[in-house]
Amino acid sequence: MKKLLVVGNGMASVRFLELLTDNPEHGYHITVLSAEPVPGYNRIMLSPLLAGDLEAGGVLLRPASWYRERGIQLHCGSDYKAVEIDRAQHLVRAENDGLFAYDKLILATGSRPFIPNIPGSDLTGVMGFRTLDDVEAMLSVAKAGGRVVVVGGGLLGLEAACALQSQGMQATVVHSRSVLMNRQLDLDSGDLLLKSLSAKGLQFELASRTVALHGEQGIVSGVELSSGKVLPADLVVFTAGIQANIQLMQSAGLPCDKALLVDGFLQTEDSAIFGLGECVQAEGQTFGLVEPVYKQAKVLADVLLEKDVSKFVPAETATRLKVTGIDLFSLGDYVGDSPSLEGINDELVLSMSSRGIYRKLVVRNNRLKGVLLYGDVSDAAWYQHLFESGQDISGIRDLMIFGQAYISQDAAEAA
Amino acid sequence: MNTISVEKSCIKTTCAYCGVGCGVQAQVEDVDNHIVKIVGDTSHPANFGRLCSKGSALGDTVDLGDRLLTPRVDGREANWDYALDSVVSRLRAIIDQHGPESVALYGSGQLLTEDYYVANKLMKGFVGSSNIDTNSRLCMASTVAGHKRAFGEDIVPGCYEDLEQAELIVLVGSNTAWCHPVIYQRLQASREESSAKKLIVIDPRKTATCEGADLHLPLKPGTDTVLFAGLLVWLADNGGIDNHWLQAHTENFEQSLDNARELASSLDSVAETCGLNLEDLRTFYSWFLKTEKTVTAWSQGANQGFDGTDRVNAMINVHLATGRIGKPGCGPFSLTGQPNAMGGREVGGLANQLAAHMDFSNPDDIDRVQRFWDAPNMVGQPGLTAVDMFEAMERGEIRFVWIMGTNPAVSMPDAGKVRAALEKCEHVVVSDCLQNTDTSAYADILLPAAPWSEKDGTVTNSERRISRQRALFPLAGESKPDWWILSQVGKRLGFDQAFDYDCNADVFREHARLSAFENSREQSFRAFNLSGLVPVTNEQYESFAPQIWPILDSLESDEQRFFAQGNFSTPSGKAKFIVPDKVAGITLDSEFPLLLNTGRIRDQWHTMTRTARAVRLNRHISEPFVQVNPIDADDFKLLDGELVEVLSSNGRAIARVQVDSGIVAGQLFMPMHWTREFSRGGLVGPLVHNRTDPVSRQPDSKATPVRVSPYKASWYGVLISRRPFELPEVDYCAAVRSEGCWRYELSHGDGQDVVHQLLPEGDVISLMSRAGMQRQAVVVDGCIEVLLLFSDKPLDIDRQWLEQQFQGVKVGWKVLAGSAGSGKSQGPVVCACFGVSEAAICKGIEQGWDSVETIGQKLNAGTNCGSCIPELKRYLLECKNKLELAV
């Protein structure tokens, strides 16, 4: 049997292993190395865990027994962090100097929070939000109450701020843009979110950059903003982006840019080595959301199973999220603001601010080019279908914002 | 402590609406809150328990909302003393300065006989002006004139039983199924018993009445006289004349037949003139020829014509020629439009009548009435009839007008001019039960009159049957009966004795006494004679059961029918044939190439002041519309459901197009009901020309030359609100009262925003598109307060569903979609009595229901008033055709 070695056991890796071993005839002897102390878990569930809505065991994707049942040798813990690849010998060396041979090597090393290199970034109490360890560390600070400053008002930052607020801390979110979650929301929906979170007691510093962290006796005590204002802080969480973990690949001489370069079949320059997940870059793009990463897992499993496979193409992906209980869906050019209308372009905006509902459809050339659903994401799948199929929607334009049920069969067919 | 008094009593009265005069049994459930349950009176000979959709909904129209409850003088509330003194001092000032001929009274076929009597007496004997006319002029004047020319007196010879006993019914210009639904039901019920019985409908439009007819003759407007002249010729040439009867009881036959031959030289020429198929015409004539028991019944389609009187005589002629009159199952029969137009005619309450079937043409009659009334200012000449009256007002010749219980600002032809006249008139007194009508807007003095549910007296229906109308509730606020108001004015003018009535029975007895006064062949013969009722006591009057007149020696009617044995009211005792030597035509030109017809719809009555209060009556047809033939729609580029502009030389209207092959190409139809209270643009009155019949002076409301074009709206809007709004001044608006809300359909020619400012405070749900769509709702505590939808094209929304969202449910953002989504629209309500929608009926038919009876069993539709049965039949046919096509 061929030896398949997987480095990393995050969400992409687990999905890949599931898909591969769903076929009992896969023909590989599989070994997995993970630098984390537990088998792969669902990072999306770290927010509820932090909020205390979930037990730690609830986040595991598969128990250790599953790996045994599927004949996968799983090595967990910092001892098993991969530190070197010997491409000539087809060997990977772990932190504990153990050597693992491979015929095929999957690199799924993931990413880490981006913490800018500013004064004080090495103070105790400054951290990212990515792992179970991070959750544990944050909770231990939160026990005493105090103040947390979350830098980065994207999904992860807002989840962290909410969770810590509910754990008894006063949370302030510092965001460099004037719109929260600007990768998913426009001005109006961002405002709705701001209102909803402010009502929960969160505080915000929008359009502000963090220039330095202040500390006392090695422990963080404040966050200095570009305006000069200093926010007192007992904990600072950076959620302002991620960086791919690519030192291992770089030192092995594999071509990297922002991340490990792979082709449409997730293959690196070395035909025995594949990349997967947040550590790869395909067609110039990197990936931080679960959906494209799961697509990669499917392509890669099929490649290794030697099935006919269509290439992984980074598509404009829809974001379907739940932020602090609020459903969101956004896709394509949700900002809109097209200067020219000429009859074929349009933007439909619906809002019911008292219920926190907002939706926007952007139409260009009689095609659906942008979708933003906030508070009520019903019919998201239908919009995605209209978006992806690129069909002419002129016949259903006025009512499609209410969903598929409002479109008569005739109009839908005509459309 | 709860002090609501709940009193239950059962009161027999009559319906407020059409001239059928149905008996109503009213169970008053709550006097204070005006809650009453209405059912048909099974003992009343007009309807035997049946009621139409409008009558069934009477209970929904008697609430106190919008009632005028105190007198108002110059915009301020006043007590009766002050108000009556104001009427009298202004009246006297005008008489003193300009003479009594500058005073006019314009009444209504909804006044009770007692009211009418006092009004007529006051004007013709005491004010000294014959300028008293009523809205009956718009309705029945041609029939009155035709009757008088033929019979010497205004008499309907037959009774309703004749319609049941006849073997051939010819309906002329009457959408009986919608306008006299109970008559239609009686007629259809009798046809079900006798399959040989035939129904012919003569009407330019294919109406609901045609659904159940054996033959429909869609004649050209204005050719009725020729059609019946042709029939007279056909009868003469085919042995259809009853020579013996004719010799004994008629005159002027030969001359008339000669004229008829001029008008209708051959079957071909009649077919050509009337625009009819030759075979259909022959069928009509031969059925008429061979069917002894024939009733010809007509309504406004005949009366409201430039030669309405000639049409009436043309129809009477064929009955005189065949001797088919006054016998069971035979006769010419006028179907009256209003509940007491007949009572008004009996009293003489029209400008060209004197009193109690006596005429200005006979100086002895004038003297007789003067002596009877002991009148100091007895008139000697006919006065101004409706159209002339308002024209004189516009010229400044009428300076004081008293309008009672009617809405001429809407209902008169050339209504724009009527509004201008009212504006100009020095003193306008309006007696009405409602405070806001189009006409009351012009009033200087407003007098609160008792409405239907509070007034008490007598009415006469189309078959001469006198019935008691009884009060269901005590007079609300300061309301008073019209006879009381009129006699108070009489007294204050100084005529205490003449107007000293204690009660309505006093008035009635005097009316009966006048009918019998010097009434004999030797003195002045009038068939209208109530001598038997002269001695009625107050108790007998109170318990009076419906009776047909004449009522001579006892309280019982003597006979049901007139003229079987001749004895006409002419000096010679003979009836007169009348055929004109020519018929004036209708000329169309390229500027106004179409003819506009007007009429009623099923669930509304007159100017909607009452019927529009009943939500269920607004569901069948809720907006003003114009019916257009598909060919014209094509030619003039009109799209079904969109707004169009109709123009005549008098005015303009905007209404929604109904493309309907039931209307002949070249003609349009618009309903008469909408007013400024409920619409902007949708009023038909301003369009209608003021051409009148030269004999009866009845307006020709059925054939105004017009043109039509698409209306270029810059926007369309629908506003639905929990609270009513004052109608905005836009090109088009239709207000519809619904359950828990009001709906306003809006459209305007320029982009000016006259509506958004109306939106109240609250949580807003909005949908905006850059392309111009705007939808907004204002929500308070989760319940919708106002909904406003705008588009640059007509709105395709489920209005009924939207209205349901105002019935206490919590709404979400999807309310802006304007429909329930996956559900189809329920369509219009077809059966108003049980609220059954088009969708439910069509669904049933698709499942295999194949008869009106089955639909009735399953949904109750058509089982109460039955006026939707013609429509049910149409749905059965249409759905069947569709299914067959699908197979």
Side-chain angles (χ1 to χ4, degrees), chain A residues 44-108:
Chain A
I44 295 167
M45 303 308 280
L46 292 180
S47 301
L49 185 67
L50 181 63
D53 298 336
L54 199 67
E55 305 260 319
V59 302
L60 279 194
L61 289 165
R62 295 291 181 185
S65 57
W66 178 84
Y67 295 87
R68 284 198 300 276
E69 283 155 19
R70 295 256 168 151
I72 300 167
Q73 283 211 309
L74 173 66
H75 301 286
C76 288
S78 52
D79 281 357
Y80 292 98
K81 181 179 179 187
V83 292
E84 190 188 341
I85 304 168
D86 184 340
R87 285 167 60 187
Q89 301 290 322
H90 281 213
L91 287 174
V92 170
R93 187 166 63 83
E95 185 74 45
N96 64 1
D97 284 338
L99 290 175
F100 296 87
Y102 66 86
D103 296 308
K104 305 268 181 200
L105 173 62
I106 313 291
L107 297 173

Side-chain angles (χ1 to χ4, degrees), chain B residues 13 16-17 24 26-38 54-67 69 433-434 451-455 470-474 476 609-614 737:
Chain B
T13 183
Y17 300 121
V24 164
Q27 180 89 39
V28 176
E29 314 242 314
D30 184 339
V31 173
D32 294 344
N33 294 301
H34 279 212
I35 294 171
V36 61
K37 203 176 137 212
I38 298 287
K54 295 180 284 281
S56 301
L58 274 166
D60 299 353
T61 67
V62 297
D63 63 290
L64 292 171
D66 210 29
R67 273 283 297 280
L69 293 173
C433 57
L434 297 174
W452 169 78
S453 53
E454 292 162 29
K455 58 186 181 182
R470 295 183 174 93
L472 312 184
F473 310 114
T609 51
R610 284 178 299 191
T611 38
R613 297 160 82 88
R737 187 184 187 150

Side-chain angles (χ1 to χ4, degrees), chain A residues 337-339 341 346-355 357 359 376 378-379 397-399 401-402 405-406, chain B residues 763-771 773 775 779 782 791 793 796 810-814 816-817 819-822:
Chain A
D337 283 329
S338 155
L341 286 169
D346 199 1
E347 286 169 31
L348 297 108
V349 176
L350 184 143
S351 81
M352 183 179 190
S353 46
S354 62
R355 295 258 184 96
I357 286 168
R359 32 178 67 196
D376 180 342
S378 52
D379 287 290
R397 187 173 69 182
D398 287 356
L399 284 179
I401 203 157
F402 299 101
Y406 291 83
Chain B
D763 294 332
V764 174
I765 314 175
S766 81
L767 169 61
M768 302 283 168
S769 86
R770 293 210 173 191
M773 179 166 67
R775 299 184 172 197
V779 174
S791 176
K793 48 187 183 286
D796 180 18
K810 303 267 178 184
V811 299
W813 59 274
K814 289 191 178 181
L816 293 188
S819 75
S822 47

Side-chain angles (χ1 to χ4, degrees), chain B residues 727-802:
Chain B
L727 269 57
E729 293 302 329
V730 289
D731 285 349
Y732 178 79
C733 176
V736 186
R737 187 184 187 150
S738 187
E739 196 71 50
C741 64
W742 290 78
R743 171 161 59 86
Y744 302 85
E745 298 283 340
L746 302 156
S747 204
H748 200 56
D750 70 41
Q752 132 205 41
D753 178 4
V754 287
V755 184
H756 273 99
Q757 55 190 355
L758 304 173
L759 289 180
E761 296 283 307
D763 294 332
V764 174
I765 314 175
S766 81
L767 169 61
M768 302 283 168
S769 86
R770 293 210 173 191
M773 179 166 67
Q774 291 186 46
R775 299 184 172 197
Q776 275 177 287
V778 176
V779 174
V780 174
D781 296 331
C783 289
I784 191 161
E785 209 49 39
V786 173
L787 179 77
L788 184 53
L789 309 179
F790 270 103
S791 176
D792 55 352
K793 48 187 183 286
L795 284 147
D796 180 18
I797 50 173
D798 184 344
R799 290 160 169 83
Q800 214 182 325
W801 179 84
L802 279 172

Side-chain angles (χ1 to χ4, degrees), chain B residues 304-515:
Chain B
Q304 291 178 334
F306 59 85
D307 68 337
T309 310
D310 285 343
R311 295 180 197 174
V312 169
N313 283 112
M315 292 184 282
I316 291 172
N317 287 340
V318 294
H319 283 271
L320 293 176
T322 49
R324 297 174 192 163
I325 189 165
K327 300 171 191 165
C330 296
F333 202 112
S334 148
L335 297 172
T336 318
Q338 304 199 76
N340 198 35
M342 291 286 277
R345 284 149 64 176
E346 288 152 17
V347 160
L350 289 166
N352 53 348
Q353 298 178 333
L354 181 57
H357 281 208
M358 286 177 275
D359 267 320
F360 285 107
S361 56
N362 182 351
D364 292 344
D365 276 350
I366 298 173
D367 173 63
R368 191 169 286 112
V369 176
Q370 189 277 326
R371 282 186 288 112
F372 181 83
W373 281 343
D374 192 16
N377 299 312
M378 194 66 205
V379 293
Q381 295 289 330
L384 296 169
T385 57
V387 170
D388 301 329
M389 183 188 285
F390 286 98
E391 279 178 357
M393 200 181 296
E394 214 227 341
R395 290 192 303 270
E397 292 162 23
I398 297 288
R399 295 163 180 270
F400 182 106
V401 66
W402 189 349
I403 296 165
M404 307 181 75
T406 185
N407 207 352
V410 180
S411 50
M412 287 288 294
D414 200 0
K417 210 166 163 189
V418 169
R419 287 174 192 266
L422 287 168
E423 189 70 54
K424 188 165 180 184
C425 189
E426 269 167 70
H427 304 295
V428 178
V429 180
V430 172
S431 300
D432 209 297
C433 57
L434 297 174
Q435 52 182 340
N436 295 312
T437 71
D438 282 22
T439 299
S440 68
Y442 298 94
D444 307 303
I445 301 180
L446 270 170
L447 304 174
W452 169 78
S453 53
E454 292 162 29
K455 58 186 181 182
D456 203 281
T458 56
V459 293
T460 307
N461 71 2
S462 293
E463 61 167 354
R464 288 175 279 108
R465 189 177 299 278
I466 300 173
S467 297
R468 286 280 279 111
Q469 197 175 95
R470 295 183 174 93
L472 312 184
F473 310 114
L475 292 161
E478 299 289 311
S479 310
K480 294 288 184 189
D482 289 299
W483 66 263
W484 182 90
I485 303 171
L486 286 156
S487 51
Q488 284 297 313
V489 170
K491 282 183 180 177
R492 280 162 207 253
L493 281 170
F495 309 112
D496 280 287
Q497 192 99 46
F499 295 95
D500 188 20
Y501 304 112
D502 282 339
C503 58
N504 49 4
D506 280 351
V507 180
F508 185 81
R509 277 185 292 264
E510 185 179 311
H511 165 60
R513 226 171 47 242
L514 177 58
S515 78

Side-chain angles (χ1 to χ4, degrees), chain A residues 13-33:
Chain A
S13 165
V14 174
R15 170 55 62 96
F16 162 75
L17 292 169
E18 287 169 352
L19 291 168
L20 185 73
T21 58
D22 278 346
N23 181 350
E25 311 288 309
H26 58 77
Y28 290 98
H29 181 270
I30 307 169
T31 304
V32 178
L33 302 179

